Amino acid sequence: MKRAPLTYNPPKRSAEDALAFREIEREYHVRAFGEELARVNLDLTKEERIRYIQWMRENAQKRGVKTERPPPYGFKDDDGNE
Amino acid sequence: MNDLELHEFYENLVRRLRSKGVLCAITGSLACVHYGIAESTKDCDLLCHPASFEKLLALLVRTKVEETPCQYRGNISPPLDARWHRGGWTSHFEWDAPAGKVKLDVFGHGLRESRPWAGDLLGFYAGPGTVAAMKRTNRDKDWPFVDSLGVRMIEAGNDEGWLHLFERDNLLRMLERHDCPDAVVRLRPSLKLAREKDSRLAGALLAERLLWEELDRVRVQMLERFLRPYVNAMRKASAGRKLSLPADHELRVEIAAEHLPENPLADFGVEKYVAECRQNLVTGQIIHPDIARWLPDVGTYFNWLES
C-alpha cells in the first residue's frame, strides 16, 4: 500500500471499481498538480514523498524562492509588523 | 533535522501527548502528505482538545530541538488557552534551532468543522473530512487538496467525500460510477445540479468556492483587526526580553484578558457573518443572484463558535 488508508474497514469495491477510481483520481491530480506531482502523490510511498518534497523545497530555496509559510492574519512577520 | 525526522518528531509529540490521555491529532499539510497529496510546507498543524492545553504546554516546555527550547512565535500568537480557542483563535510555537526553525500551530477547534474533529481520527492524524474542511481557505493553492481528499473519501466508502468535490469534471466523473446518497444532496444543493448534468453546475460550484473564500477572508480580516491591539500590548510588555515559555504564557494570558476578545465572530453573530459574506458576493457582482440559491447552508460549519 502506497498511501495511508482512509478507513479501517476492508475494501468493499471490486478490483474493476478500484481501477476506475485510480483513473479518475490520476486524471484529476494531473489537471490540478501536474504530471510530476501526480506521480509523487499516487506512485510514491509516504517516505519517498517526504524525501521528494524536501528535495523540491531545497531546490527552490537555492534559487531564491521563499518556501516559508507566511505568518497568520496577514502580518508581515511573527512580531506583528505590517 | 531532515523532513523525515521532522515528521517523526511531530508524530512522537502526538504519541507522548496521547500517552498522557490528551486528545490530539496532526492536520493541515502534514496530514495531506500522509494521505498522499504532496504539500511543501513542513510546519505542523496540531489539533488539541482545549481541556488538555495545560498538558500540551507542559510537554512543550520539556521538549527541546537540538537543545533549543520551545517558545511562542513572536508577538502575534494568542495564548494557548481554551477561552480564546473556543472563539477560533490559534496558538503558534517554534523551536529556533541552529539547523532551522521547527514550527507548530495549535488549533483547539478545526476551523469550519461541522462536527467535533475528535470523532474523526485516523492514527496520529485528523480524519480527511476535518483536513479538507480546514483547507477551504481563501488561498487558491489549498483547493486541489480539498478535491483530492474528497475523491479518496468516496473511494473509502465515506459519502461525506461528496461535500468536498469542487471541480466539475472531477465531480461528474465520480458520479458516472457512484451514487451520491440523497441525504448528502440535501446538504449540498449543487449536487442536485450535478446529478441532473445541469449546465449551471460549474457556476454553482464556483459560487460555493467563492463563498468559502469570502468567509475565510472576512474572518481573517476581523481577527486581524482584533489582534492588533493585543500585538501592540505584547510588544510593549515583552520589550524584546527573552522569556521562558511558562512566563511568556502567563504574560499572554494577562494581556489577552485585557486586549483580545475571546470570540469576535460569535460577538458579531455567526448568522450575520454568513449572510454578509453571501451578500458581498451578490452585491459585488461576483456571482449572479440566481446562482446564490444553489449555495449550501454553511451555518452548520460555524455552530461550534456558539456552542
Side-chain angles (χ1 to χ4, degrees):
Chain A
M1 175 153 311
K2 296 273 187 190
R3 298 182 295 166
L6 259 64
T7 173
Y8 292 121
N9 299 324
K12 285 183 196 151
R13 303 192 187 279
S14 66
E16 189 204 353
D17 244 10
L19 211 65
F21 255 117
R22 297 279 176 278
E23 199 184 308
I24 297 171
E25 196 175 21
R26 188 171 293 275
E27 281 175 16
Y28 177 69
H29 277 248
V30 169
R31 277 201 306 280
F33 303 104
E35 285 278 356
E36 188 168 349
L37 277 178
R39 191 184 67 81
V40 171
N41 290 342
L42 304 174
D43 301 337
L44 303 189
T45 62
K46 180 177 173 184
E47 194 177 316
E48 290 167 334
R49 194 175 310 118
I50 291 171
R51 285 187 204 285
Y52 180 92
I53 295 166
Q54 183 172 355
W55 169 83
M56 193 172 71
R57 200 179 40 249
E58 285 171 356
N59 239 337
Q61 281 165 350
K62 273 184 210 158
R63 283 157 181 77
V65 178
K66 277 190 183 168
T67 56
E68 293 266 303
R69 187 156 65 170
Y73 310 116
F75 289 104
K76 205 172 84 187
D77 59 34
D78 290 340
D79 283 330
N81 293 310
E82 294 169 65
Chain B
M1 236 194 273
N2 65 35
D3 281 21
L4 270 173
E5 290 164 337
L6 208 53
H7 273 254
E8 268 173 40
F9 168 76
Y10 291 128
E11 286 187 356
N12 202 31
L13 212 58
V14 172
R15 191 179 289 119
R16 288 162 69 195
L17 285 165
R18 289 197 181 165
S19 74
K20 296 183 185 321
V22 174
L23 206 48
C24 61
I26 296 169
T27 184
S29 313
L30 267 58
C32 286
V33 173
H34 179 69
Y35 291 133
I37 316 153
E39 241 273 39
S40 63
T41 314
K42 59 177 185 171
D43 305 347
C44 180
D45 291 339
L46 181 76
L47 282 160
C48 178
H49 196 287
S52 299
F53 279 172
E54 267 181 40
K55 285 180 183 170
L56 171 57
L57 193 69
L59 182 70
L60 294 179
V61 169
R62 286 197 307 274
T63 305
K64 292 185 176 177
V65 173
E66 297 168 12
E67 297 306 309
T68 309
C70 181
Q71 59 192 33
Y72 274 104
R73 265 166 58 191
N75 299 315
I76 58 166
S77 177
L80 186 69
D81 186 298
R83 283 171 287 177
W84 285 277
H85 278 253
R86 246 194 315 268
W89 293 103
T90 51
S91 300
H92 309 273
F93 298 91
E94 69 180 12
W95 289 264
D96 195 3
K101 285 186 178 182
V102 172
K103 294 180 181 178
L104 179 75
D105 294 338
V106 180
F107 298 73
H109 283 274
L111 304 175
R112 297 168 284 276
E113 66 183 15
S114 54
R115 53 190 155 77
W117 60 267
D120 180 31
L121 303 179
L122 282 170
F124 293 133
Y125 293 84
T130 302
V131 179
M134 291 180 80
K135 285 276 181 192
R136 291 178 185 181
T137 69
N138 63 347
R139 292 172 299 202
D140 278 343
K141 75 175 192 71
D142 282 337
W143 286 87
F145 294 90
V146 180
D147 262 80
S148 304
L149 288 163
V151 172
R152 286 215 65 201
M153 288 168 77
I154 297 167
E155 183 186 8
N158 181 350
D159 286 325
E160 194 197 319
W162 293 106
L163 302 177
H164 301 294
L165 302 185
F166 284 83
E167 201 222 34
R168 180 184 56 181
D169 292 354
N170 196 29
L171 175 54
L172 291 177
R173 286 291 311 276
M174 291 295 285
L175 274 173
E176 277 170 19
R177 293 196 69 91
H178 303 282
D179 289 332
C180 176
D182 291 342
V184 181
V185 176
R186 278 194 291 276
L187 295 174
R188 194 181 180 202
S190 57
L191 290 172
K192 190 169 181 290
L193 295 175
R195 265 185 178 174
E196 293 163 1
K197 295 191 171 55
D198 191 303
S199 60
R200 292 169 295 179
L201 174 63
L205 292 174
L206 181 62
E208 221 180 301
R209 178 178 152 172
L210 289 168
L211 174 61
W212 285 110
E213 290 181 0
E214 183 67 3
L215 287 161
D216 195 43
R217 191 188 66 80
V218 171
R219 180 188 69 88
V220 170
Q221 213 171 45
M222 191 186 291
L223 294 187
E224 187 190 324
R225 196 173 67 241
F226 283 109
L227 192 62
R228 215 167 282 144
Y230 167 84
V231 169
N232 290 338
M234 268 305 298
R235 192 179 289 136
K236 263 191 213 154
S238 61
R241 282 178 298 155
K242 196 102 175 161
L243 297 172
S244 68
L245 183 52
D248 194 359
H249 177 70
E250 289 304 314
L251 179 66
R252 278 170 206 262
V253 171
E254 200 180 300
I255 289 179
E258 199 177 336
H259 296 280
L260 197 64
E262 291 174 13
N263 197 338
L265 270 172
D267 295 344
F268 182 78
V270 169
E271 213 174 301
K272 189 175 159 200
Y273 155 65
V274 172
E276 276 194 14
C277 289
R278 285 176 74 118
Q279 195 54 39
N280 289 350
L281 296 182
V282 175
T283 51
Q285 297 186 357
I286 298 165
I287 65 167
H288 192 278
D290 289 349
I291 214 80
R293 72 188 179 96
W294 297 103
L295 292 172
D297 172 14
V298 297
T300 172
Y301 294 88
F302 300 97
N303 284 345
W304 58 273
L305 283 164
E306 292 184 322
S307 62

